[in-house]
Amino acid sequence: MKYFTKEWYALMQSLDYCICKKPIADKEYSDDDIRALYDRELKREIAREKRAHDAPPEFVPYDLDGDVDLDDFVMFDAQTGNLKKFESVEQIRAAYEEEKAAAMKEYEERPPFDPTETIEMFKRRYEGGLEHELDRLPEWAKTVVDVRLAALGYFTKSVYDKLKAEAKANEREFKRINLAAKKALSAQAEKLPERITGEFGFHDAEVVEYCESGGDISMLLRLCCACFDGETPYERVVFKNARITECDGLPLGDDEFSCWLFDELYYEDGKIEAHMMFATSQGLSYLTVLCDDITFQKNVVYEDAD
């Protein structure tokens, strides 16, 4: 990878250290101080959940009286788990009214608010924060952040300001890389056929099969998408007459899981160079393939699918 590297990926995770955090006064916080903050935040959480519990459902109004493109509307079939297209405006209107009626019925028949689940979820979230809040912070912060405060949504003011400034610097560098990538990859895309550039790119797709055979490399992917009847979420991408030029772990070797994250395409001297980065059970990994062509097969029937 030339742009969407592991370092770039780490930078992307460091764009806002202070998200969902508030600054609090610089001082040493005792166990009693933390308990008071915990109780205050829990009280606020219960109040928010009660407001949500008591708020009637809201519905986005649709204008179905003018020209309506039926392709703009789809419905989810709970029985098949697939998407379905509407056949008429009347069918859209009926489904909309049915959804509203069901939501109102559920709201009107809701039980009295019980904070028990909110209290338990808040406790579990706090305990998870104690374990993981420091993971995404820079090394210097791990030695000065009070993890108890962080788990409750706070950084001390001096730490908050420093993390905010560092995150802004990270964002500037992230944008610089993205701009350079867009310029370079757009220039490369002009050298490639649209049938490849229009199809290549499978962010968040799960690799379910990887195969090297007859000089080709193929991957069967489970796309992150919903399907209409007659479609499947599986697509096979094949790199024709391929040679691996960079690899620090195949996308599906002994790993239990592999997810396609980012990719780059280049065309030089009559060859296509495909750069890919995957999230695997062992961490991030690169795979770069030099090939003559890339083909795609959609709606593959995968026999091992659940």
Side-chain angles (χ1 to χ4, degrees):
M1 300 290 278
K2 299 180 180 180
Y3 297 97
F4 305 141
T5 62
K6 297 175 185 179
E7 292 78 14
W8 169 86
Y9 186 84
L11 196 63
M12 183 167 58
Q13 314 309 310
S14 306
L15 299 182
D16 195 349
Y17 294 125
C18 298
I19 189 168
C20 298
K21 295 290 187 289
K22 294 173 285 189
I24 197 171
D26 285 303
K27 73 168 195 174
E28 294 292 331
Y29 287 85
S30 67
D31 290 342
D32 288 342
D33 292 330
I34 296 298
R35 169 51 63 182
L37 280 172
Y38 183 100
D39 291 343
R40 187 178 75 182
E41 291 302 316
L42 175 58
K43 184 178 180 179
R44 289 175 174 173
E45 182 76 1
I46 291 173
R48 282 193 293 268
E49 289 296 317
K50 187 176 187 307
R51 285 196 299 271
H53 178 269
D54 292 337
E58 296 182 359
F59 304 95
V60 177
Y62 292 116
D63 182 5
L64 300 175
D65 295 328
D67 293 332
V68 177
D69 187 345
L70 296 181
D71 288 338
D72 290 339
F73 296 84
V74 295
M75 65 183 299
F76 177 75
D77 188 331
Q79 292 183 334
T80 65
N82 290 339
L83 299 175
K84 292 180 63 175
K85 293 183 178 180
F86 290 99
E87 298 179 357
S88 67
V89 172
E90 290 70 25
Q91 194 179 49
I92 297 173
R93 186 175 286 111
Y96 180 61
E97 293 302 324
E98 182 180 343
E99 182 180 344
K100 284 174 60 177
M104 287 303 302
K105 183 175 185 295
E106 181 179 358
Y107 170 71
E108 291 167 354
E109 296 178 356
R110 73 193 186 285
F113 177 71
D114 182 353
T116 303
E117 184 176 351
T118 302
I119 294 170
E120 179 60 25
M121 288 296 295
F122 187 88
K123 178 175 179 289
R124 288 165 56 186
R125 188 166 67 244
Y126 176 72
E127 291 172 346
L130 293 177
E131 187 174 356
H132 298 295
E133 274 289 344
L134 300 183
D135 292 350
R136 67 185 188 90
L137 299 181
E139 288 302 317
W140 68 264
K142 295 178 182 180
T143 63
V144 297
V145 166
D146 186 332
V147 71
R148 301 170 304 167
L149 288 176
L152 289 171
Y154 292 98
F155 290 140
T156 55
K157 181 68 164 57
S158 58
V159 169
Y160 181 93
D161 290 345
K162 189 173 180 180
L163 285 172
K164 198 75 173 178
E166 190 166 320
K168 286 185 178 296
N170 291 342
E171 184 178 7
R172 288 192 294 271
E173 176 63 7
F174 184 71
K175 288 181 177 179
R176 184 194 69 77
I177 295 172
N178 287 347
L179 186 61
K182 181 179 180 180
K183 182 178 180 181
L185 296 176
S186 294
Q188 290 293 318
E190 294 178 358
K191 305 176 185 179
L192 292 161
E194 197 278 335
R195 66 174 178 81
I196 293 178
T197 59
E199 294 291 337
F200 193 78
F202 301 96
H203 183 64
D204 280 349
E206 180 184 355
V207 183
V208 294
E209 286 183 354
Y210 174 89
C211 178
E212 298 180 23
S213 177
D216 296 342
I217 294 174
S218 70
M219 281 182 271
L220 181 63
L221 308 172
R222 189 186 194 284
L223 307 183
C224 184
C225 65
C227 299
F228 289 100
D229 288 339
E231 297 178 341
T232 81
Y234 296 97
E235 182 167 348
R236 190 181 304 279
V237 55
V238 180
F239 302 89
K240 309 294 290 185
N241 190 25
R243 175 169 61 88
I244 295 175
T245 60
E246 180 185 20
C247 176
D248 57 1
L250 291 176
L252 200 67
D254 295 329
D255 290 323
E256 299 174 358
F257 174 80
S258 184
C259 177
W260 183 306
L261 290 182
F262 299 98
D263 48 76
E264 302 171 6
L265 276 182
Y266 298 90
Y267 184 78
E268 298 293 342
D269 299 326
K271 292 281 188 177
I272 301 170
E273 190 173 76
H275 297 231
M276 293 153 281
M277 182 165 67
F278 299 87
T280 75
S281 304
Q282 310 304 316
L284 299 179
S285 69
Y286 293 132
L287 177 66
T288 302
V289 172
L290 194 65
C291 62
D292 290 342
D293 195 8
I294 304 176
T295 62
F296 310 89
Q297 181 184 357
K298 296 179 177 294
N299 297 320
V300 174
V301 176
Y302 181 48
E303 294 181 356
D304 292 340
D306 293 335

